[in-house]
Amino acid sequence: MKKLSIKTKIMIWFTAALILISACTSAVNFSISREVLNKSIQERLVTAVAANAQEIEFYNSNSGEMEPNDFFLSYNGGILEIDDDFLNYNEGVFTALVDSENNLIYGEMPIQLNDRQAFSYTTVGLLKNNGEKFYIYEKKLSGENLDGLWLRGFISERENTNVLYNMVRIMLWLTPVLAIAALLGGYIITKRSFAPIKLIDSAAREITESGDLSKRINIFADENCKNSRCTPGKDEIQNLAITFNQMFDRLESSFDSEKQFTSDASHELRTPLSVIKANCEYALKYGDSREDFIEVIQTIAKQTDKTSALLNQLLFFARLNQKKDKVVLSKINLSALTTSICKDRQIILPDELNLEADIHPEIFVNADESLMARLLNNLLDNAVKYIGSGTSIQVSLCSNETSVFLSVKDSGIGISPENINKIWNRFYMADPSRSETSANGFGLGLAMVREIAELHHGRMEVLSKPGSGSTFTLILPINQSSM
Ligand code: ADP
Protein backbone atom coordinates (compact mmCIF):
# COMPACT_ATOMS: atom_id res chain seq x y z
CA MET A 1 0.00 0.00 0.00
CA LYS A 2 2.88 2.35 0.90
CA LYS A 3 4.38 1.95 -2.56
CA LEU A 4 1.19 2.96 -4.40
CA SER A 5 1.00 6.39 -6.02
CA ILE A 6 -1.23 9.06 -4.42
CA LYS A 7 -3.46 8.87 -7.51
CA THR A 8 -4.01 5.11 -7.05
CA LYS A 9 -4.54 5.52 -3.31
CA ILE A 10 -7.20 8.19 -3.89
CA MET A 11 -8.93 6.03 -6.50
CA ILE A 12 -8.92 2.94 -4.24
CA TRP A 13 -10.23 4.98 -1.32
CA PHE A 14 -13.03 6.54 -3.37
CA THR A 15 -14.01 3.21 -4.97
CA ALA A 16 -14.22 1.52 -1.56
CA ALA A 17 -16.07 4.49 -0.04
CA LEU A 18 -18.49 4.63 -2.98
CA ILE A 19 -19.24 0.87 -2.82
CA LEU A 20 -19.74 1.06 0.97
CA ILE A 21 -21.98 4.14 0.73
CA SER A 22 -24.03 2.60 -2.13
CA ALA A 23 -24.41 -0.70 -0.23
CA CYS A 24 -25.47 1.07 3.01
CA THR A 25 -27.83 3.43 1.18
CA SER A 26 -29.38 0.54 -0.76
CA ALA A 27 -29.83 -1.55 2.41
CA VAL A 28 -31.45 1.35 4.32
CA ASN A 29 -33.53 2.23 1.26
CA PHE A 30 -34.65 -1.38 0.86
CA SER A 31 -35.68 -1.86 4.49
CA ILE A 32 -37.54 1.49 4.66
CA SER A 33 -39.32 0.73 1.39
CA ARG A 34 -40.33 -2.70 2.65
CA GLU A 35 -41.79 -1.18 5.81
CA VAL A 36 -43.65 1.48 3.84
CA LEU A 37 -44.97 -1.03 1.30
CA ASN A 38 -46.08 -3.47 4.02
CA LYS A 39 -47.98 -0.66 5.73
CA SER A 40 -49.46 0.41 2.43
CA ILE A 41 -50.79 -3.05 1.43
CA GLN A 42 -52.20 -3.58 4.93
CA GLU A 43 -54.05 -0.27 4.55
CA ARG A 44 -55.24 -1.38 1.12
CA LEU A 45 -56.62 -4.59 2.67
CA VAL A 46 -58.46 -2.79 5.51
CA THR A 47 -59.89 -0.16 3.13
CA ALA A 48 -61.10 -2.77 0.61
CA VAL A 49 -62.82 -4.86 3.34
CA ALA A 50 -64.44 -1.73 4.83
CA ALA A 51 -65.67 -0.64 1.36
CA ASN A 52 -67.16 -4.06 0.66
CA ALA A 53 -68.93 -4.04 4.05
CA GLN A 54 -70.99 -1.08 2.76
CA GLU A 55 -72.27 -3.15 -0.12
CA ILE A 56 -74.23 -5.69 1.98
CA GLU A 57 -77.82 -5.06 3.08
CA PHE A 58 -80.58 -7.12 4.66
CA TYR A 59 -84.28 -7.00 3.73
CA ASN A 60 -87.06 -8.67 5.69
CA SER A 61 -89.11 -9.34 2.54
CA ASN A 62 -88.92 -8.89 -1.19
CA SER A 63 -89.51 -5.14 -1.44
CA GLY A 64 -89.68 -5.09 -5.21
CA GLU A 65 -86.93 -2.42 -5.46
CA MET A 66 -84.16 -4.93 -5.99
CA GLU A 67 -81.58 -4.07 -8.59
CA PRO A 68 -81.14 -6.69 -11.32
CA ASN A 69 -77.28 -6.98 -11.19
CA ASP A 70 -77.12 -7.45 -7.41
CA PHE A 71 -76.72 -10.83 -5.77
CA PHE A 72 -79.43 -12.09 -3.46
CA LEU A 73 -79.34 -14.70 -0.77
CA SER A 74 -81.99 -15.83 1.67
CA TYR A 75 -80.65 -15.34 5.13
CA ASN A 76 -82.13 -15.28 8.58
CA GLY A 77 -85.72 -15.31 7.28
CA GLY A 78 -85.08 -12.38 4.96
CA ILE A 79 -83.04 -11.49 1.92
CA LEU A 80 -79.39 -10.54 1.91
CA GLU A 81 -78.57 -8.21 -0.96
CA ILE A 82 -74.99 -8.04 -2.09
CA ASP A 83 -74.52 -5.02 -4.29
CA ASP A 84 -72.77 -5.48 -7.64
CA ASP A 85 -70.13 -2.99 -6.37
CA PHE A 86 -68.94 -5.68 -3.97
CA LEU A 87 -65.55 -6.76 -5.33
CA ASN A 88 -64.45 -10.34 -4.67
CA TYR A 89 -61.04 -9.53 -5.96
CA ASN A 90 -59.68 -6.03 -6.46
CA GLU A 91 -56.08 -4.75 -6.59
CA GLY A 92 -54.78 -7.96 -5.03
CA VAL A 93 -57.38 -8.03 -2.23
CA PHE A 94 -59.68 -11.09 -1.95
CA THR A 95 -62.85 -10.55 0.06
CA ALA A 96 -65.24 -13.23 1.28
CA LEU A 97 -68.49 -13.15 3.27
CA VAL A 98 -68.71 -15.85 5.95
CA ASP A 99 -71.31 -16.68 8.55
CA SER A 100 -70.72 -17.22 12.25
CA GLU A 101 -70.20 -20.96 11.54
CA ASN A 102 -67.25 -20.07 9.34
CA ASN A 103 -69.12 -21.08 6.15
CA LEU A 104 -68.37 -19.20 2.96
CA ILE A 105 -71.50 -17.39 1.81
CA TYR A 106 -70.11 -15.25 -0.97
CA GLY A 107 -66.74 -14.22 -2.47
CA GLU A 108 -63.28 -15.81 -2.75
CA MET A 109 -60.72 -17.00 -0.21
CA PRO A 110 -57.19 -18.10 -1.18
CA ILE A 111 -56.88 -19.88 2.23
CA GLN A 112 -59.44 -21.79 4.19
CA LEU A 113 -59.29 -20.94 7.90
CA ASN A 114 -60.02 -23.63 10.39
CA ASP A 115 -62.45 -22.93 13.20
CA ARG A 116 -59.67 -22.21 15.62
CA GLN A 117 -58.17 -19.54 13.36
CA ALA A 118 -61.48 -18.01 12.23
CA PHE A 119 -62.54 -14.61 13.63
CA SER A 120 -59.20 -13.99 15.38
CA TYR A 121 -57.94 -11.44 12.83
CA THR A 122 -59.85 -8.31 13.79
CA THR A 123 -56.50 -6.56 13.38
CA VAL A 124 -54.31 -7.36 10.38
CA GLY A 125 -52.41 -10.65 10.79
CA LEU A 126 -50.08 -12.80 8.70
CA LEU A 127 -50.72 -16.35 7.52
CA LYS A 128 -48.55 -18.71 5.50
CA ASN A 129 -50.00 -21.00 2.87
CA ASN A 130 -47.93 -23.20 0.54
CA GLY A 131 -44.88 -20.98 1.04
CA GLU A 132 -46.85 -17.79 0.25
CA LYS A 133 -47.57 -15.23 2.94
CA PHE A 134 -50.95 -13.50 3.17
CA TYR A 135 -52.09 -10.59 5.26
CA ILE A 136 -55.55 -11.30 6.61
CA TYR A 137 -58.18 -9.04 8.14
CA GLU A 138 -61.66 -9.86 9.42
CA LYS A 139 -64.49 -7.42 10.02
CA LYS A 140 -67.76 -8.26 11.82
CA LEU A 141 -70.72 -6.73 9.99
CA SER A 142 -73.03 -4.54 12.01
CA GLY A 143 -76.60 -3.51 11.23
CA GLU A 144 -80.06 -4.92 11.41
CA ASN A 145 -80.05 -8.75 11.03
CA LEU A 146 -76.41 -8.70 9.86
CA ASP A 147 -75.08 -9.92 13.22
CA GLY A 148 -73.09 -13.10 12.85
CA LEU A 149 -71.85 -12.17 9.35
CA TRP A 150 -68.17 -11.46 8.80
CA LEU A 151 -66.13 -10.11 5.94
CA ARG A 152 -62.72 -11.71 5.55
CA GLY A 153 -60.04 -10.10 3.39
CA PHE A 154 -56.69 -11.44 2.13
CA ILE A 155 -53.79 -9.87 0.30
CA SER A 156 -50.63 -11.67 -0.73
CA GLU A 157 -47.31 -10.29 0.51
CA ARG A 158 -46.11 -10.77 -3.11
CA GLU A 159 -48.02 -7.62 -3.96
CA ASN A 160 -45.19 -5.64 -2.37
CA THR A 161 -42.49 -8.14 -3.22
CA ASN A 162 -43.07 -7.33 -6.88
CA VAL A 163 -42.58 -3.61 -6.26
CA LEU A 164 -39.49 -4.33 -4.15
CA TYR A 165 -38.17 -6.70 -6.79
CA ASN A 166 -38.52 -3.94 -9.41
CA MET A 167 -36.84 -1.46 -7.08
CA VAL A 168 -33.90 -3.82 -6.41
CA ARG A 169 -33.60 -4.49 -10.14
CA ILE A 170 -33.38 -0.76 -10.88
CA MET A 171 -30.91 -0.28 -8.02
CA LEU A 172 -28.82 -3.21 -9.22
CA TRP A 173 -28.12 -1.66 -12.60
CA LEU A 174 -28.37 2.03 -11.65
CA THR A 175 -25.88 1.84 -8.74
CA PRO A 176 -22.99 0.32 -10.74
CA VAL A 177 -23.69 2.68 -13.67
CA LEU A 178 -23.60 5.73 -11.36
CA ALA A 179 -20.56 4.33 -9.48
CA ILE A 180 -18.69 3.75 -12.74
CA ALA A 181 -19.60 7.26 -13.99
CA ALA A 182 -18.46 8.80 -10.67
CA LEU A 183 -15.21 6.80 -10.69
CA LEU A 184 -14.53 7.64 -14.32
CA GLY A 185 -15.06 11.36 -13.59
CA GLY A 186 -12.88 11.08 -10.47
CA TYR A 187 -10.18 9.25 -12.41
CA ILE A 188 -10.10 11.89 -15.18
CA ILE A 189 -9.99 14.79 -12.68
CA THR A 190 -7.24 13.14 -10.56
CA LYS A 191 -5.24 12.22 -13.64
CA ARG A 192 -5.42 15.77 -14.98
CA SER A 193 -4.69 17.32 -11.59
CA PHE A 194 -1.69 15.11 -10.93
CA ALA A 195 -0.19 15.43 -14.40
CA PRO A 196 1.82 18.60 -13.50
CA ILE A 197 3.25 16.77 -10.46
CA LYS A 198 4.78 14.22 -12.83
CA LEU A 199 6.23 17.10 -14.83
CA ILE A 200 7.55 18.80 -11.66
CA ASP A 201 9.12 15.50 -10.62
CA SER A 202 10.81 14.88 -13.97
CA ALA A 203 12.00 18.52 -14.22
CA ALA A 204 13.47 18.36 -10.69
CA ARG A 205 15.17 15.05 -11.56
CA GLU A 206 16.61 16.47 -14.79
CA ILE A 207 17.93 19.55 -12.97
CA THR A 208 19.47 17.38 -10.24
CA GLU A 209 21.07 15.01 -12.73
CA SER A 210 22.28 17.56 -15.27
CA GLY A 211 22.80 20.56 -12.98
CA ASP A 212 21.18 22.63 -15.71
CA LEU A 213 19.18 25.37 -14.01
CA SER A 214 17.74 26.58 -17.34
CA LYS A 215 15.29 23.64 -17.43
CA ARG A 216 11.65 24.42 -16.67
CA ILE A 217 8.43 22.52 -15.98
CA ASN A 218 6.58 22.55 -19.29
CA ILE A 219 2.95 22.77 -18.20
CA PHE A 220 1.78 22.59 -21.80
CA ALA A 221 3.63 19.27 -22.24
CA ASP A 222 0.78 17.63 -20.33
CA GLU A 223 -1.28 15.84 -22.99
CA ASN A 224 -4.50 16.92 -21.25
CA CYS A 225 -3.33 20.51 -21.46
CA LYS A 226 -2.54 20.68 -25.16
CA ASN A 227 -5.78 22.16 -26.34
CA SER A 228 -6.24 25.91 -26.32
CA ARG A 229 -8.91 25.82 -23.60
CA CYS A 230 -6.35 24.61 -21.06
CA THR A 231 -4.72 27.67 -19.57
CA PRO A 232 -2.10 27.22 -16.88
CA GLY A 233 -2.77 28.53 -13.41
CA LYS A 234 -6.25 27.03 -13.21
CA ASP A 235 -5.72 24.89 -10.15
CA GLU A 236 -3.41 24.66 -7.15
CA ILE A 237 -1.03 22.12 -8.72
CA GLN A 238 -0.64 24.10 -11.95
CA ASN A 239 -0.02 27.20 -9.83
CA LEU A 240 2.58 25.21 -7.92
CA ALA A 241 4.31 24.35 -11.21
CA ILE A 242 4.32 28.04 -12.18
CA THR A 243 5.73 28.99 -8.76
CA PHE A 244 8.46 26.34 -9.23
CA ASN A 245 9.30 27.80 -12.64
CA GLN A 246 9.50 31.30 -11.15
CA MET A 247 11.73 29.93 -8.38
CA PHE A 248 13.98 28.28 -10.99
CA ASP A 249 14.12 31.65 -12.85
CA ARG A 250 15.27 33.42 -9.72
CA LEU A 251 17.70 30.66 -8.78
CA GLU A 252 19.16 30.62 -12.28
CA SER A 253 19.59 34.38 -12.45
CA SER A 254 21.09 34.64 -8.96
CA PHE A 255 23.31 31.61 -9.63
CA ASP A 256 24.44 33.16 -12.95
CA SER A 257 25.15 36.52 -11.38
CA GLU A 258 27.08 34.88 -8.52
CA LYS A 259 29.09 32.90 -11.11
CA GLN A 260 29.74 36.08 -13.07
CA PHE A 261 30.69 37.93 -9.90
CA THR A 262 33.17 35.24 -8.82
CA SER A 263 34.74 35.07 -12.26
CA ASP A 264 35.01 38.89 -12.50
CA ALA A 265 36.43 39.12 -8.97
CA SER A 266 39.04 36.41 -9.72
CA HIS A 267 39.95 38.18 -12.93
CA GLU A 268 40.35 41.52 -11.16
CA LEU A 269 42.49 39.92 -8.44
CA ARG A 270 44.65 38.00 -10.93
CA THR A 271 45.67 41.16 -12.82
CA PRO A 272 47.56 42.93 -9.97
CA LEU A 273 49.06 39.61 -8.84
CA SER A 274 50.39 38.98 -12.36
CA VAL A 275 51.86 42.50 -12.42
CA ILE A 276 53.54 41.91 -9.01
CA LYS A 277 54.92 38.52 -10.12
CA ALA A 278 56.23 39.91 -13.41
CA ASN A 279 57.93 42.81 -11.60
CA CYS A 280 59.54 40.48 -9.07
CA GLU A 281 60.87 38.21 -11.83
CA TYR A 282 62.19 41.24 -13.72
CA ALA A 283 63.92 42.63 -10.62
CA LEU A 284 65.50 39.23 -9.82
CA LYS A 285 66.74 38.77 -13.35
CA TYR A 286 67.72 42.24 -14.47
CA GLY A 287 67.63 44.58 -11.49
CA ASP A 288 71.13 45.62 -10.48
CA SER A 289 70.72 49.16 -9.21
CA ARG A 290 68.93 50.54 -6.16
CA GLU A 291 66.71 52.64 -8.47
CA ASP A 292 65.56 49.51 -10.34
CA PHE A 293 64.46 47.88 -7.08
CA ILE A 294 62.76 51.07 -5.81
CA GLU A 295 60.79 51.28 -9.03
CA VAL A 296 59.72 47.63 -8.74
CA ILE A 297 58.77 48.05 -5.08
CA GLN A 298 56.69 51.15 -5.94
CA THR A 299 54.79 49.15 -8.60
CA ILE A 300 54.26 46.32 -6.13
CA ALA A 301 52.99 48.82 -3.50
CA LYS A 302 50.55 50.32 -6.03
CA GLN A 303 49.22 46.91 -7.08
CA THR A 304 48.96 45.87 -3.44
CA ASP A 305 46.84 49.00 -2.74
CA LYS A 306 44.63 48.12 -5.67
CA THR A 307 44.25 44.50 -4.53
CA SER A 308 43.52 45.59 -1.01
CA ALA A 309 40.94 48.14 -2.23
CA LEU A 310 39.24 45.42 -4.31
CA LEU A 311 39.31 42.98 -1.39
CA ASN A 312 37.74 45.67 0.83
CA GLN A 313 34.94 46.16 -1.67
CA LEU A 314 34.38 42.41 -2.05
CA LEU A 315 34.34 42.07 1.71
CA PHE A 316 31.81 44.89 1.89
CA PHE A 317 29.56 43.09 -0.63
CA ALA A 318 29.84 39.84 1.31
CA ARG A 319 28.90 41.65 4.54
CA LEU A 320 26.05 43.47 2.79
CA ASN A 321 24.63 40.15 1.61
CA GLN A 322 24.96 38.69 5.09
CA LYS A 323 23.33 41.78 6.56
CA LYS A 324 20.46 41.88 4.06
CA ASP A 325 17.94 40.00 6.20
CA LYS A 326 18.93 41.47 9.53
CA VAL A 327 19.89 45.06 8.79
CA VAL A 328 18.54 47.32 11.53
CA LEU A 329 17.12 50.57 10.23
CA SER A 330 16.92 53.32 12.80
CA LYS A 331 15.76 56.91 12.63
CA ILE A 332 18.68 59.06 11.47
CA ASN A 333 19.01 62.73 10.61
CA LEU A 334 19.85 62.51 6.90
CA SER A 335 20.23 66.31 6.66
CA ALA A 336 22.97 66.30 9.33
CA LEU A 337 24.72 63.27 7.77
CA THR A 338 24.71 64.80 4.25
CA THR A 339 25.95 68.19 5.56
CA SER A 340 28.81 66.56 7.44
CA ILE A 341 29.90 64.38 4.45
CA CYS A 342 29.80 67.43 2.13
CA LYS A 343 31.93 69.45 4.57
CA ASP A 344 34.54 66.70 4.83
CA ARG A 345 34.56 66.32 1.06
CA GLN A 346 35.06 70.06 0.48
CA ILE A 347 38.31 69.89 2.45
CA ILE A 348 39.89 67.25 0.21
CA LEU A 349 38.57 68.45 -3.13
CA PRO A 350 41.06 69.97 -5.61
CA ASP A 351 40.83 73.77 -5.75
CA GLU A 352 39.37 73.80 -9.24
CA LEU A 353 36.34 71.78 -8.14
CA ASN A 354 33.40 73.49 -6.49
CA LEU A 355 30.99 71.49 -4.27
CA GLU A 356 27.64 73.13 -3.51
CA ALA A 357 25.13 71.71 -1.05
CA ASP A 358 21.42 72.50 -0.92
CA ILE A 359 20.22 70.53 2.07
CA HIS A 360 16.76 70.88 3.62
CA PRO A 361 17.14 70.72 7.38
CA GLU A 362 15.66 68.11 9.69
CA ILE A 363 14.94 65.36 7.18
CA PHE A 364 14.87 62.11 9.12
CA VAL A 365 14.84 58.66 7.56
CA ASN A 366 14.86 55.09 8.81
CA ALA A 367 18.27 53.91 7.67
CA ASP A 368 21.61 52.34 8.49
CA GLU A 369 23.85 55.40 8.91
CA SER A 370 27.09 53.77 7.73
CA LEU A 371 25.39 52.38 4.60
CA MET A 372 23.85 55.77 3.80
CA ALA A 373 27.29 57.38 4.20
CA ARG A 374 28.77 54.74 1.91
CA LEU A 375 26.11 55.41 -0.75
CA LEU A 376 26.67 59.18 -0.75
CA ASN A 377 30.48 58.79 -0.74
CA ASN A 378 30.34 56.41 -3.72
CA LEU A 379 28.25 58.93 -5.67
CA LEU A 380 30.63 61.74 -4.72
CA ASP A 381 33.70 59.60 -5.64
CA ASN A 382 32.19 59.03 -9.10
CA ALA A 383 31.27 62.71 -9.52
CA VAL A 384 34.93 63.58 -8.88
CA LYS A 385 36.32 60.66 -10.93
CA TYR A 386 34.23 61.43 -14.01
CA ILE A 387 34.27 65.24 -13.78
CA GLY A 388 36.44 65.58 -16.90
CA SER A 389 36.73 69.27 -17.71
CA GLY A 390 33.70 70.12 -15.56
CA THR A 391 34.06 72.08 -12.37
CA SER A 392 30.92 71.81 -10.29
CA ILE A 393 29.27 69.19 -8.12
CA GLN A 394 25.92 69.84 -6.45
CA VAL A 395 24.41 67.82 -3.62
CA SER A 396 20.76 68.35 -2.76
CA LEU A 397 18.41 66.83 -0.18
CA CYS A 398 14.67 67.52 -0.13
CA SER A 399 11.36 65.75 0.35
CA ASN A 400 7.68 65.81 -0.56
CA GLU A 401 4.67 63.97 0.96
CA THR A 402 5.66 60.60 -0.42
CA SER A 403 9.46 60.52 -0.78
CA VAL A 404 12.86 61.83 0.23
CA PHE A 405 15.26 62.77 -2.61
CA LEU A 406 19.03 62.80 -2.24
CA SER A 407 20.89 63.72 -5.43
CA VAL A 408 24.44 64.25 -6.60
CA LYS A 409 24.77 66.26 -9.78
CA ASP A 410 28.02 66.84 -11.67
CA SER A 411 29.00 68.74 -14.77
CA GLY A 412 31.30 65.92 -15.87
CA ILE A 413 31.69 63.68 -18.90
CA GLY A 414 28.21 62.11 -18.65
CA ILE A 415 27.18 58.62 -19.73
CA SER A 416 26.17 57.54 -23.22
CA PRO A 417 22.53 56.29 -23.57
CA GLU A 418 23.66 52.78 -24.63
CA ASN A 419 25.63 52.38 -21.39
CA ILE A 420 23.21 53.96 -18.97
CA ASN A 421 21.41 50.73 -18.06
CA LYS A 422 24.64 48.77 -17.62
CA ILE A 423 26.31 51.05 -15.08
CA TRP A 424 24.52 49.31 -12.17
CA ASN A 425 25.97 45.87 -13.02
CA ARG A 426 28.80 44.61 -10.86
CA PHE A 427 32.25 45.07 -12.45
CA TYR A 428 30.80 47.17 -15.26
CA MET A 429 33.07 50.04 -16.34
CA ALA A 430 32.02 52.16 -19.32
CA ASP A 431 35.64 53.01 -20.04
CA PRO A 432 38.06 50.92 -17.94
CA SER A 433 41.03 53.05 -18.93
CA ARG A 434 39.56 55.97 -16.96
CA SER A 435 39.06 53.94 -13.81
CA GLU A 436 42.50 52.40 -14.15
CA THR A 437 43.97 55.59 -12.77
CA SER A 438 42.03 55.24 -9.57
CA ALA A 439 42.92 52.62 -7.00
CA ASN A 440 39.26 51.84 -6.30
CA GLY A 441 37.87 51.73 -9.85
CA PHE A 442 36.47 48.23 -10.31
CA GLY A 443 32.92 48.87 -11.49
CA LEU A 444 31.52 47.95 -8.09
CA GLY A 445 30.62 51.41 -6.74
CA LEU A 446 27.19 51.84 -8.38
CA ALA A 447 26.22 48.18 -7.87
CA MET A 448 26.86 48.79 -4.19
CA VAL A 449 24.82 52.04 -4.31
CA ARG A 450 21.84 50.24 -5.82
CA GLU A 451 21.97 47.38 -3.31
CA ILE A 452 22.07 49.88 -0.43
CA ALA A 453 19.08 51.79 -1.90
CA GLU A 454 17.06 48.56 -2.27
CA LEU A 455 17.98 47.49 1.24
CA HIS A 456 16.28 50.71 2.38
CA HIS A 457 13.24 49.93 0.16
CA GLY A 458 14.25 52.81 -2.11
CA ARG A 459 15.51 53.08 -5.68
CA MET A 460 18.14 54.90 -7.75
CA GLU A 461 17.52 57.07 -10.77
CA VAL A 462 20.06 58.55 -13.16
CA LEU A 463 19.82 61.34 -15.72
CA SER A 464 22.84 61.92 -17.88
CA LYS A 465 23.96 63.59 -21.07
CA PRO A 466 27.41 62.90 -22.54
CA GLY A 467 29.52 66.02 -22.23
CA SER A 468 27.07 67.83 -19.90
CA GLY A 469 27.09 65.76 -16.72
CA SER A 470 25.04 63.32 -14.69
CA THR A 471 22.55 63.42 -11.84
CA PHE A 472 22.23 60.39 -9.58
CA THR A 473 19.18 60.45 -7.26
CA LEU A 474 18.28 58.21 -4.34
CA ILE A 475 14.50 58.07 -3.78
CA LEU A 476 13.35 56.74 -0.42
CA PRO A 477 9.61 56.21 0.13
CA ILE A 478 8.27 58.32 2.98
CA ASN A 479 6.70 55.32 4.79
CA GLN A 480 10.24 53.97 5.10
CA SER A 481 11.55 57.34 6.16
CA SER A 482 10.29 59.30 9.12
CA MET A 483 10.17 63.04 8.83
P1 ADP B 1 33.81 52.53 -11.24
O1 ADP B 1 33.61 53.97 -10.94
O2 ADP B 1 34.70 51.89 -10.27
O3 ADP B 1 34.16 52.25 -12.64
P2 ADP B 1 31.04 52.36 -10.69
O4 ADP B 1 30.18 51.20 -10.46
O5 ADP B 1 31.06 53.39 -9.62
O6 ADP B 1 32.44 51.82 -11.01
O7 ADP B 1 30.58 53.03 -12.03
C1 ADP B 1 30.35 52.24 -13.16
C2 ADP B 1 30.52 53.05 -14.43
O8 ADP B 1 29.51 54.08 -14.50
C3 ADP B 1 31.81 53.79 -14.43
O9 ADP B 1 32.83 53.01 -15.01
C4 ADP B 1 31.51 55.00 -15.29
O10 ADP B 1 31.67 54.73 -16.62
C5 ADP B 1 30.03 55.26 -15.08
N1 ADP B 1 29.79 56.37 -14.12
C6 ADP B 1 29.50 56.28 -12.83
N2 ADP B 1 29.32 57.50 -12.27
C7 ADP B 1 29.51 58.40 -13.26
C8 ADP B 1 29.47 59.81 -13.34
N3 ADP B 1 29.17 60.58 -12.28
N4 ADP B 1 29.70 60.37 -14.53
C9 ADP B 1 29.97 59.62 -15.61
N5 ADP B 1 30.03 58.26 -15.61
C10 ADP B 1 29.82 57.69 -14.44
Side-chain angles (χ1 to χ4, degrees), residues 235-467:
D235 64 32
E236 297 85 341
I237 298 177
Q238 287 181 350
N239 281 332
L240 178 72
I242 291 169
T243 312
F244 264 110
N245 277 347
Q246 287 166 349
M247 187 185 82
F248 288 143
D249 284 346
R250 278 201 304 278
L251 276 179
E252 188 189 12
S253 90
S254 82
F255 190 71
D256 283 351
S257 78
E258 285 311 310
K259 235 164 47 180
Q260 186 64 38
F261 183 66
T262 316
S263 120
D264 290 343
S266 330
H267 177 78
E268 289 295 331
L269 282 170
R270 215 173 35 214
T271 312
L273 286 178
S274 307
V275 175
I276 292 170
K277 189 163 186 275
N279 274 278
C280 290
E281 280 169 0
Y282 176 85
L284 287 173
K285 222 171 179 182
Y286 305 110
D288 46 21
S289 67
R290 189 170 182 270
E291 285 72 32
D292 284 346
F293 284 106
I294 287 175
E295 196 183 326
V296 167
I297 288 167
Q298 276 169 345
T299 312
I300 291 173
K302 200 173 145 198
Q303 292 304 323
T304 313
D305 282 349
K306 193 167 177 174
T307 313
S308 136
L310 175 59
L311 285 174
N312 278 338
Q313 294 206 17
L314 291 178
L315 207 62
F316 182 83
F317 262 110
R319 287 197 185 126
L320 197 66
N321 279 333
Q322 273 176 358
K323 236 182 169 184
K324 250 178 192 167
D325 300 330
K326 42 193 170 199
V327 68
V328 185
L329 305 182
S330 53
K331 192 174 172 183
I332 62 161
N333 186 338
L334 191 59
S335 307
L337 179 70
T338 312
T339 309
S340 136
I341 291 174
C342 287
K343 273 189 184 150
D344 293 348
R345 186 61 69 147
Q346 267 154 348
I347 300 168
I348 54 166
L349 271 188
D351 291 342
E352 65 277 14
L353 282 187
N354 175 30
L355 175 68
E356 286 169 25
D358 175 16
I359 296 160
H360 279 227
E362 303 302 300
I363 292 182
F364 288 86
V365 293
N366 281 325
D368 178 306
E369 190 160 346
S370 66
L371 291 179
M372 272 296 142
R374 183 63 170 241
L375 181 146
L376 183 55
N377 276 319
N378 279 9
L379 293 178
L380 285 170
D381 286 346
N382 281 351
V384 175
K385 253 196 284 182
Y386 304 108
I387 196 70
S389 55
T391 52
S392 88
I393 298 170
Q394 290 166 358
V395 175
S396 83
L397 177 68
C398 61
S399 67
N400 63 17
E401 284 103 55
T402 55
S403 311
V404 168
F405 304 88
L406 171 63
S407 43
V408 177
K409 182 178 179 189
D410 65 64
S411 58
I413 58 169
I415 306 158
S416 62
E418 65 267 23
N419 290 336
I420 201 122
N421 288 326
K422 302 178 199 156
I423 56 172
W424 306 104
N425 297 342
R426 290 170 181 180
F427 290 106
Y428 176 79
M429 289 175 273
D431 181 1
S433 61
R434 276 201 302 262
S435 296
E436 206 65 22
T437 53
S438 164
N440 59 356
F442 303 104
L444 289 173
L446 287 181
M448 208 179 279
V449 162
R450 190 171 68 169
E451 286 202 23
I452 294 173
E454 284 170 1
L455 206 73
H456 288 83
H457 313 286
R459 66 176 202 279
M460 288 302 304
E461 275 184 5
V462 58
L463 286 173
S464 186
K465 202 171 166 202

Side-chain angles (χ1 to χ4, degrees), residues 35 89 93 127 203 294 321 456:
E35 279 297 307
Y89 180 77
V93 180
L127 266 181
I294 287 175
N321 279 333
H456 288 83

Side-chain angles (χ1 to χ4, degrees), residues 115-276:
D115 291 347
R116 201 168 43 84
Q117 292 169 312
F119 314 123
S120 55
Y121 294 102
T122 48
T123 55
V124 178
L126 197 62
L127 266 181
K128 210 169 178 183
N129 184 40
N130 294 333
E132 188 178 351
K133 282 182 180 168
F134 283 89
Y135 286 104
I136 172 169
Y137 172 64
E138 291 174 306
K139 183 177 170 68
K140 192 172 193 289
L141 296 188
S142 57
E144 197 187 342
N145 288 316
L146 292 179
D147 292 344
L149 289 176
W150 287 74
L151 273 184
R152 183 175 291 155
F154 295 89
I155 187 165
S156 169
E157 207 194 26
R158 279 194 191 142
E159 287 292 318
N160 79 24
T161 317
N162 288 344
V163 180
L164 282 175
Y165 174 71
N166 282 340
M167 210 176 88
V168 170
R169 220 176 46 183
I170 292 171
M171 266 174 0
L172 278 180
W173 70 259
L174 198 64
T175 313
V177 166
L178 289 178
I180 289 169
L183 285 176
L184 213 67
Y187 176 75
I188 293 168
I189 293 172
T190 355
K191 195 171 172 231
R192 281 190 178 199
S193 306
F194 279 91
I197 289 198
K198 249 186 175 177
L199 294 173
I200 294 174
D201 179 51
S202 61
R205 263 174 219 273
E206 271 182 54
I207 291 171
T208 316
E209 278 159 21
S210 66
D212 180 2
L213 276 174
S214 67
K215 292 218 174 340
R216 294 290 173 274
I217 303 159
N218 186 2
I219 300 158
F220 289 105
D222 170 16
E223 57 188 24
N224 295 318
C225 218
K226 272 184 181 153
N227 60 54
S228 54
R229 275 175 298 135
C230 185
T231 49
K234 270 188 169 177
D235 64 32
E236 297 85 341
I237 298 177
Q238 287 181 350
N239 281 332
L240 178 72
I242 291 169
T243 312
F244 264 110
N245 277 347
Q246 287 166 349
M247 187 185 82
F248 288 143
D249 284 346
R250 278 201 304 278
L251 276 179
E252 188 189 12
S253 90
S254 82
F255 190 71
D256 283 351
S257 78
E258 285 311 310
K259 235 164 47 180
Q260 186 64 38
F261 183 66
T262 316
S263 120
D264 290 343
S266 330
H267 177 78
E268 289 295 331
L269 282 170
R270 215 173 35 214
T271 312
L273 286 178
S274 307
V275 175
I276 292 170

